[in-house]
Amino acid sequence: MDTHCHLQADRFIGDVDLVLGGARLAGVERILVPGWDVESSTNALALVARFPWLDAAVGVHPHDAANVDDAAWRGLAAQADDERVVAIGETGLDYDRVFSPVADQLANLRRNLALALETGKPAILHCRSADGRRDAQEALVAELRLAGFGGAASMAAFGERPPAIIHSYSGPVDFARAVVDMGLAVSISGLAFRAGEEATAEAVRLVPASRLLVETDSPYLSPPGAPRKRNEPEWVRVTAAWVADQIGSDPRTLGDALVRAYDLVFPRAGRAATGG
Ligand SMILES: [Zn+2]
């Protein structure tokens, strides 16, 4: 499975069906296509209309936080009720590149988190600090607590299900501990292989199997061996094999656990059969 794959990105125009064929041949049974702004959220749903075995998420990325006005947000939020939308996102905080001012990122994060609680669909969270810093992680944990995640609000909306996912995990080990304690799920990407991200190996071992996920973040974050120009969902197997190593599992057992975790975190009534 690939919990985070931007198949609606420009780089997939023209051959998305071949990319999906490659993913199926590699054994990928679930793919979640998250939006990052209004248009890409609409396009995620359009892709699920074409390929019913995919799932969509709608939301606004911190990079685009300053570019979505209230009317556009209302349009996006209305799409969240669609049964093919299994999560809200991606949203979060990026204090590394700061393409949108921090105040806009916080306002954007708050309304995405509120929509997750309102719909009972988990929030997909991007969280990045500049090298050697942890201010985004600290701010995100504070915002989650303020919104009631890990407390009564998320318990009422989600029960025992994870109310949010830390996508493309990055950060110190105690950040993993904090989000796992709040009941969140954690998704590992090709970022784990980069210098400076060594803490991810230890973070992986803290996450309960039922909340441990993997992703490509295609077309970005190619793991070793994948084409640098365009990552694709089939390369999730490289990251999954690495995760299996970290937790001392064999890849096949982990693969089964990952699909079970995906279905627990992103339940979808009438999920289309994958065709085996
Ligand atoms: Zn992404």
Side-chain angles (χ1 to χ4, degrees):
M1 41 73 98
D2 183 354
T3 64
H4 202 102
C5 184
H6 297 291
L7 287 170
Q8 78 277 54
D10 286 351
R11 272 180 258 182
F12 291 112
I13 291 173
D15 68 345
V16 71
D17 47 346
L18 291 176
V19 169
L20 285 171
R24 298 308 303 275
L25 285 173
V28 177
E29 296 179 9
R30 304 277 189 276
I31 297 178
L32 197 161
V33 183
W36 60 86
D37 62 5
V38 175
E39 189 188 2
S40 59
S41 294
T42 302
N43 290 344
L45 268 167
L47 259 188
V48 181
R50 253 179 94 191
F51 305 101
W53 66 280
L54 306 179
D55 297 307
V58 299
V60 179
H61 194 285
H63 289 342
D64 297 285
N67 309 324
V68 177
D69 64 22
D70 291 349
W73 171 257
R74 280 194 295 276
L76 184 148
Q79 291 186 313
D81 287 328
D82 192 302
E83 66 148 23
R84 299 165 301 174
V85 171
V86 298
I88 305 303
E90 65 178 292
T91 188
L93 296 173
D94 194 310
Y95 289 3
D96 179 18
R97 287 161 287 180
V98 204
F99 292 160
S100 281
V102 165
D104 292 322
Q105 293 191 35
L106 288 169
N108 176 61
L109 172 64
R110 286 170 190 156
R111 64 184 176 185
N112 277 266
L113 291 179
L115 184 60
L117 290 173
E118 202 179 296
T119 55
K121 299 181 181 185
I124 298 174
L125 302 171
H126 168 111
C127 189
R128 213 75 86 71
S129 298
D131 270 353
R133 297 181 62 96
R134 47 182 302 154
D135 44 355
Q137 283 83 2
E138 281 168 7
L140 182 65
V141 168
E143 288 296 324
L144 284 165
R145 291 210 171 105
L146 201 64
F149 283 70
S154 69
M155 190 52 82
F158 292 91
E160 299 296 329
R161 283 196 300 128
I165 298 93
I166 302 296
H167 116 78
S168 192
Y169 184 84
S170 169
V173 174
D174 59 323
F175 173 57
R177 208 168 279 129
V179 298
V180 165
D181 284 351
M182 267 191 272
L184 271 57
V186 173
S187 184
I188 309 297
S189 74
L191 193 62
F193 296 95
R194 297 224 182 136
E197 302 290 347
E198 291 77 9
T200 303
E202 203 182 321
V204 163
R205 292 189 280 271
L206 294 176
V207 185
S210 61
R211 291 190 259 145
L212 181 60
L213 305 164
V214 291
E215 64 174 79
T216 57
D217 202 14
S218 296
Y220 314 109
L221 300 181
S222 300
R228 304 287 296 171
K229 266 196 276 184
R230 187 180 76 171
N231 196 6
E232 299 177 11
E234 66 175 278
W235 298 103
V236 78
R237 66 179 186 267
V238 175
T239 303
W242 179 84
V243 168
D245 259 3
Q246 304 313 311
I247 62 174
S249 170
D250 77 278
R252 189 162 285 277
T253 306
L254 178 68
D256 292 342
L258 287 171
V259 174
R260 275 199 304 275
Y262 182 104
D263 289 345
L264 181 93
V265 177
F266 307 110
R268 175 170 161 191
R271 186 188 299 282
T274 55

